[in-house]
Amino acid sequence: MRRANVSTSLPDLPALNAELFKLPKPEKLRATDASTHAPRFLLLYGSLRERSYSKLLTLEAARLLEAMGGEVRVFDPHGLPLPDGAPDSHPKVVELRELAQWAEGMVWTSPERHGAMTGIMKAQIDWIPLSVGAVRPTQGKTLAVMEVSGGSQSFNAVNQLRILGRWMRMITIPNQSSVAKAFMEFDDAGRMKPSAYYDRVVDVMEELMKFTLLTRDIAPYLVDRYSERKETAEELSRRVNQRSI
């Protein structure tokens, strides 16, 4: 098979800063120093009820990820203040943000309430900032989304969670789980019954683990952006060329 000739010269792109433009390279997608620690996952759920089906589903996901070799932390939203209702030094906010930085992947599970995710779910996500100094707690990390419904199957909550995942610059995996009539899917001990819904949860966690293993060591390269390189260069230039300090 004849290979196509690929020109390395730039075409006529007058708006482009050629010094900051980088051609994507396949070799950069292969980690040179692969991580050896267990993949780290933070799991969030969106209900404070004593028998919370989003929590029960989250715990099933946690067991599956641990069975696949992952290290899992489940955040308890009890006591988390409303966004902007307390300083970010609040202990629950500090706990959540530290877990977000620690994790390499996340699972967000919300009940559907009034056709949307719950305020409990949104509050947790809103407390995770897009940046803390030079660190972006969520950028380049993997994400799986799930929801539980009291009635027929719906995808409103997971669709909203996907939008938030994209806004948080996360790698949201293609698969997802939506459990209808959740009150019928768990036994008295809180364990999920065998069903097609359970099988889908296994699928989702399996896919999350694979995507996390695939991307965690190359996440900095995957999220390295031309616009941000340009912005950083412009900021550096202003600092170096300032006339007075």
Side-chain angles (χ1 to χ4, degrees):
M1 181 181 295
R2 184 178 179 183
R3 295 184 60 187
N5 292 322
V6 180
S7 174
T8 57
S9 62
L10 292 177
D12 182 23
L13 298 171
L16 189 71
N17 184 328
E19 293 182 359
L20 300 175
F21 181 69
K22 298 180 181 179
L23 296 177
K25 297 180 178 180
E27 60 269 21
K28 294 286 188 179
L29 299 173
R30 295 187 288 270
T32 56
D33 188 16
S35 298
T36 57
H37 65 268
R40 301 190 294 254
F41 297 98
L42 170 61
L43 278 57
L44 308 179
Y45 59 92
S47 173
L48 301 179
R49 290 179 176 176
E50 183 176 352
R51 184 172 169 85
S52 163
Y53 295 110
S54 63
K55 179 179 180 180
L56 295 180
L57 184 59
T58 296
L59 294 178
E60 290 292 342
R63 295 183 187 101
L64 289 166
L65 289 171
E66 288 174 342
M68 296 175 197
E71 184 178 357
V72 177
R73 299 285 185 271
V74 178
F75 179 73
D76 181 356
H78 284 87
L80 182 71
L82 289 173
D84 302 325
D88 56 16
S89 58
H90 188 283
K92 290 297 290 188
V93 176
V94 172
E95 177 190 357
L96 176 59
R97 291 186 171 187
E98 287 179 348
L99 286 172
Q101 293 190 32
W102 166 85
E104 295 167 326
M106 295 190 194
V107 180
W108 296 348
T109 306
S110 178
E112 180 176 296
R113 181 172 296 170
H114 300 312
M117 79 178 76
T118 62
I120 301 299
M121 189 76 240
K122 184 64 162 57
Q124 293 174 81
I125 299 170
D126 283 347
W127 270 120
I128 302 173
L130 287 174
S131 63
V132 180
V135 178
R136 298 184 185 273
T138 55
Q139 179 169 259
K141 298 182 180 184
T142 54
L143 171 66
V145 296
M146 303 194 294
E147 74 166 83
V148 294
S149 304
S152 58
Q153 191 173 45
S154 171
F155 300 95
N156 291 325
V158 287
N159 287 338
Q160 291 178 327
L161 291 171
R162 283 188 173 278
I163 292 172
L164 287 171
R166 183 174 72 241
W167 189 259
M168 302 295 280
R169 297 181 172 181
M170 303 184 76
I171 303 170
T172 308
I173 66 170
N175 215 338
Q176 61 188 25
S177 171
S178 174
V179 180
K181 296 182 179 179
F183 61 91
M184 298 178 60
E185 298 302 322
F186 294 86
D187 62 23
D188 293 340
R191 297 304 304 271
M192 196 170 185
K193 301 174 184 177
S195 68
Y197 289 133
Y198 179 79
D199 294 345
R200 173 58 70 90
V201 176
V202 178
D203 289 348
V204 174
M205 294 306 109
E206 191 175 64
E207 188 171 290
L208 176 64
M209 176 62 78
K210 291 175 181 177
F211 270 77
T212 305
L213 291 171
L214 181 67
T215 62
R216 65 174 178 168
D217 291 321
I218 58 171
Y221 179 68
L222 291 174
V223 298
D224 179 38
R225 296 176 175 86
Y226 167 76
S227 62
E228 294 179 354
R229 293 195 298 271
K230 183 178 177 183
E231 183 180 3
T232 300
E234 290 173 350
E235 290 176 352
L236 176 62
S237 177
R238 285 195 295 269
R239 287 199 304 271
V240 171
N241 297 314
Q242 61 184 342
R243 296 187 176 183
S244 61
I245 298 177

